[in-house]
Amino acid sequence: MPLIRPRSTAGIALITTLLLLYLWTSSTSSTLSTTPSSPPPVWRTPQYESYFWTTLPTNYPPKQIRPLPTTSPLKFPRIQAASPSESPEALKTRLQRQTAVKDVFSKCWASYKRHAWKADELAPVSGGQKNPFGGWAATLVDSLDTLYLMDMKPEFDEAVAAAASIDFTKTDLDEVNVFETTIRYLGGFLSAYDLSADARLLSKAVEVGEMLYHAFDTPNRMPITRWAIHAAMAGKKQVAPAGLLVAEIGSLSMEFTRLSMLTRDPKWFDAVQRITEGMAAQQNATALPGLWPLVVSAQDEIYSVGDTFTLGAMADSVYEYLPKMSALTGGQLPVYREMYEAAMATALKHNLFRPMTPSNQDILVAGTVKAADNGGGVKATLEPQGQHLVCFLGGLLTLGGKLFGRQQDLDAARRLVDGCVWTYKALPRGIMPETFYMLPCPSSTCAWDEASWKKGVLARAKDADKASDDADAIISRDRLPKGFTSIPDRRYILRPEAIESVFVSYRATANPSLMESAWEMFTAINATTSTRLANSAVWDVTRPIGEDPGMADSMESFWMGETLKYFYLVFAAWDDVSLDEWVFNTEAHPFRRLLP
Ligand SMILES: *[C@@H]1O[C@H](CO)[C@@H](O)[C@H](O)[C@H]1NC(C)=O
Ligand SMILES: *[C@@H]1O[C@H](CO)[C@@H](O)[C@H](O)[C@H]1NC(C)=O
């Protein structure tokens, strides 16, 4: 303003000061005289009071609400190793690799925006859209924290603005999966809020939380995991199911607890703590004490009847959330450590096996146990099936081993992570299939024995009713690499668990070979799954390079929410999302840990 002379500037400044002083004193005094309470919390938007899920009446209100714990948080041992030293060339390579991961993410994001904006998923071959998760923009919400961490500020701002308009009171789905909604949407919002402190994200987390809270509106306050949402909207009375997957009820704890920590409203914590109490009380009463069976009853609160015990699909995150709850709450709830230690003692003893490999690798794979009591005590039988999904276990045992000082967990973790890396390399495209069988070594020597392997192949083929008495013919027909006795599910669906464990293990050990393995996995995955628009799940990773692995035209939101985030973080600065300050939910959304 060049026309204003110095004196008049001073005059304007004086008037402004007086005006501000007046406004300040008048607002202060009016606050003091009328409302002595603190200002409303940041998440309580003007719409909150009239939000559908807030106002919908509750049929079975809880009689009492457990408060959040108030004891001082513990100081846990460090998880991350000291930052490794790095030559200028190594730095250059690392940053180039980080950029390469970001480039793949950016391409997928641009295509999602262009072809499937606010849909749950982009169809990465046809350019169409899919809405399997309520139609609430699952990919957008799952990607918020990745955008933030990759420093894509304009895209993040645009995504937050779009997320603010998602309407959680409408869906075309008949049945909502409460677990998936919790880990992807609630977890996505909480993490993006923890990272960015943008209040709009906490408001959205509360909206999702208010909706999900109605899935707990049953006589015993246990949740309905596959939830008929329109009946709930109509105010109908509901009961919890008698048969459900243990992972779907047992791994809601992190998100609900974080929501209570951030809002200071304990009702979500109370909802999940009731489940934890029941599971803790029955943990040692199962056929394989320490582990819970795959199927449990929420209606009767029975978590101990059943004969199948796995850390794989449909159970995995129950175990994952035990040490992670300890990390999240600063150890304020000792029950989680106790449950973790009891579970891992059993899993290490019964579920892990060393497979026979041509190079006699010292690796472990986690299988499934069938336990049955036919009178003379429980007999546990190992089913030596590996799953890509179980690769999370190496990262989990690393975390639990470090937090609670358990060397046996760290030893098993190293061999499990090596097992996942080995399995990637053993397949012709450098990618692990969804499921596979291997031959457990008969003894601790584990020397390669081609004849035993072929016998194992024949036995598996017989089990699968693909009878043949010629092992070589089966090996060639099914394209079985040496060591594998069967590969029932040949897909790779852009899963994160292997790189997740490599990332956690790398941060805990600073072992540079893990960073190299990560890069090999990334280039292999990118080479096989890239489409014109993005990346796609493929049908058959046993087909050699040069043949068509078969594009499935599917890109689940975890590709951008988890897989690419973990790849990126392997090549990030050492303290970028340090495991000593953050803990990841099962959808790779980092939450801030409660620290002393
Ligand atoms: C990923 O795949 C795309 C498509 O084939 C390719 O253009 C890109 O260079 C690849 N990136 C890396 C790091 O290999
Ligand atoms: C279950 O057994 C383990 C180990 O035997 C023990 O540490 C734990 O306290 C037991 N849990 C319960 C609830 O009794």
Side-chain angles (χ1 to χ4, degrees):
M1 297 279 233
L3 285 179
I4 297 173
R5 293 194 305 274
R7 257 188 65 205
S8 48
T9 314
I12 289 167
L14 183 66
I15 292 164
T16 312
T17 309
L18 288 173
L19 189 66
L20 283 176
L21 202 63
Y22 166 76
L23 286 174
W24 182 75
T25 47
S26 63
S27 75
T28 311
S29 55
S30 77
T31 306
L32 286 176
S33 59
T34 56
T35 50
S37 61
S38 51
V42 289
W43 52 267
R44 200 181 272 264
T45 58
Q47 297 82 41
Y48 174 77
E49 305 298 338
S50 58
Y51 176 54
F52 173 77
W53 290 112
T54 315
T55 56
L56 182 67
T58 304
N59 290 312
Y60 307 102
K63 293 196 181 61
Q64 55 154 95
I65 300 272
R66 288 155 185 69
L68 277 165
T70 50
T71 50
S72 320
L74 299 175
K75 187 168 166 55
F76 280 113
R78 287 187 67 82
I79 294 169
Q80 294 211 167
S83 162
S85 62
E86 190 173 44
S87 68
E89 301 87 88
L91 172 67
K92 199 166 148 235
T93 305
R94 177 169 67 75
L95 295 179
Q96 274 168 357
R97 291 173 172 182
Q98 193 184 29
T99 304
V101 177
K102 183 172 169 177
D103 287 347
V104 170
F105 179 91
S106 299
K107 174 181 154 188
C108 294
W109 181 255
S111 294
Y112 171 71
K113 198 176 140 189
R114 183 154 172 202
H115 298 281
W117 189 237
K118 293 186 80 176
D120 284 344
E121 294 170 8
L122 165 72
V125 177
S126 59
Q129 313 184 348
K130 300 183 191 181
N131 284 306
F133 294 110
W136 299 313
T139 292
L140 189 153
V141 179
D142 240 0
S143 301
L144 286 168
D145 54 3
T146 316
L147 288 165
Y148 187 89
L149 292 170
M150 289 188 176
D151 210 12
M152 296 171 66
K153 185 83 171 71
E155 289 87 350
F156 176 76
D157 290 343
E158 189 181 22
V160 174
S165 70
I166 297 171
D167 185 352
F168 288 100
T169 69
K170 293 194 173 66
T171 181
D172 292 337
L173 280 191
D174 291 333
E175 191 179 84
V176 164
N177 185 319
V178 165
F179 165 74
E180 297 286 358
T181 306
T182 299
I183 64 171
R184 299 187 199 221
Y185 292 105
L186 183 52
F189 285 130
L190 289 169
S191 173
Y193 173 72
D194 261 351
L195 287 163
S196 72
D198 188 319
R200 288 174 295 176
L201 294 164
L202 187 54
S203 298
K204 289 315 272 191
V206 169
E207 283 180 28
V208 181
E210 293 290 355
M211 170 177 74
L212 292 173
Y213 197 62
H214 280 277
F216 289 72
D217 186 13
T218 62
N220 64 351
R221 298 299 304 169
M222 288 293 118
I224 301 159
T225 46
R226 307 287 173 107
W227 186 34
I229 191 170
H230 296 285
M233 283 175 175
K236 297 228 168 81
K237 291 194 168 170
Q238 339 173 86
V239 289
L244 72 164
L245 298 171
V246 71
E248 292 191 348
I249 187 167
S251 27
L252 307 167
S253 50
M254 283 183 78
E255 295 80 6
F256 278 58
T257 301
R258 187 67 189 139
L259 184 59
S260 281
M261 290 164 85
L262 287 169
T263 57
R264 309 307 305 170
D265 181 341
K267 74 179 183 188
W268 290 286
F269 167 71
D270 168 71
V272 291
Q273 197 61 17
R274 290 163 188 263
I275 301 167
T276 299
E277 286 165 12
M279 293 188 72
Q282 296 173 44
Q283 183 175 14
N284 293 342
T286 69
L288 199 63
L291 302 186
W292 296 275
L294 206 53
V295 178
V296 298
S297 168
Q299 202 173 93
D300 314 298
E301 294 170 67
I302 293 175
Y303 306 102
S304 57
V305 179
D307 62 359
T308 306
F309 299 87
T310 172
L311 287 92
M314 302 175 279
D316 53 336
S317 41
V318 170
Y319 302 103
E320 177 182 351
Y321 275 18
L322 302 175
K324 289 187 170 183
M325 276 297 285
S326 291
L328 179 70
T329 61
Q332 286 177 320
L333 300 157
V335 65
Y336 286 103
R337 176 181 181 161
E338 287 158 21
M339 291 164 89
Y340 168 80
E341 295 188 339
M344 289 308 122
T346 302
L348 261 52
K349 192 161 156 209
H350 291 285
N351 291 70
L352 308 192
F353 70 95
R354 183 174 172 192
M356 196 169 78
T357 63
S359 46
N360 305 326
Q361 300 285 319
D362 181 21
I363 57 175
L364 290 175
V365 173
T368 296
V369 171
K370 292 264 183 194
D373 189 347
N374 300 322
V378 174
K379 194 168 172 298
T381 319
L382 175 75
E383 163 110 331
Q385 190 202 60
Q387 302 176 352
H388 191 293
L389 193 142
V390 191
C391 279
F392 84 96
L393 189 58
L396 183 75
L397 283 162
T398 303
L399 194 78
K402 286 276 183 175
L403 283 177
F404 308 134
R406 291 164 56 91
Q407 189 58 42
Q408 70 273 38
D409 292 5
L410 296 173
D411 294 342
R414 180 181 49 77
R415 298 169 72 200
L416 282 164
V417 174
D418 287 351
C420 294
V421 170
W422 181 85
T423 315
Y424 263 69
K425 287 193 183 142
L427 272 288
R429 314 183 78 95
I431 305 176
M432 180 191 290
E434 271 285 280
T435 62
F436 55 90
Y437 284 87
M438 296 184 78
L439 200 61
C441 286
S443 71
S444 57
T445 58
C446 215
W448 174 247
D449 174 1
E450 189 121 350
S452 303
W453 170 50
K454 289 184 179 174
K455 248 167 75 185
V457 170
L458 282 176
R460 236 353 110 199
K462 207 161 139 228
D463 281 357
D465 212 13
K466 294 202 280 184
S468 159
D469 52 10
D470 183 350
D472 291 313
I474 298 170
I475 289 166
S476 138
R477 177 194 70 198
D478 293 350
R479 293 182 295 277
L480 298 177
K482 278 192 176 175
F484 294 82
T485 53
S486 159
I487 304 184
D489 189 343
R490 294 152 183 273
R491 292 174 302 155
Y492 172 66
I493 63 166
L494 304 173
R495 281 191 174 287
E497 296 82 13
I499 187 57
E500 167 184 346
S501 277
V502 168
F503 163 70
V504 174
S505 189
Y506 178 53
R507 286 288 180 89
T509 62
N511 174 357
S513 78
L514 288 166
M515 203 168 29
E516 291 307 311
S517 297
W519 180 244
E520 279 177 37
M521 289 158 70
F522 175 70
T523 49
I525 290 170
N526 182 51
T528 287
T529 65
S530 285
T531 70
R532 186 174 54 87
L533 297 173
N535 296 76
S536 172
V538 295
W539 290 114
D540 191 347
V541 293
T542 69
R543 291 208 174 270
I545 290 170
E547 286 183 24
D548 181 6
M551 292 286 169
D553 199 15
S554 163
M555 183 177 84
E556 281 215 43
S557 63
F558 52 65
W559 168 244
M560 294 165 80
E562 301 191 64
T563 313
L564 289 174
K565 182 188 289 145
Y566 282 127
F567 274 120
Y568 183 83
L569 289 176
V570 168
F571 304 112
W574 194 249
D575 55 2
D576 197 356
V577 199
S578 164
L579 297 174
D580 293 307
E581 289 164 37
W582 299 87
V583 58
F584 289 85
N585 87 337
T586 192
E587 191 74 3
H589 295 306
F591 298 166
R592 211 177 268 284
R593 289 173 55 181
L594 188 63
L595 300 173

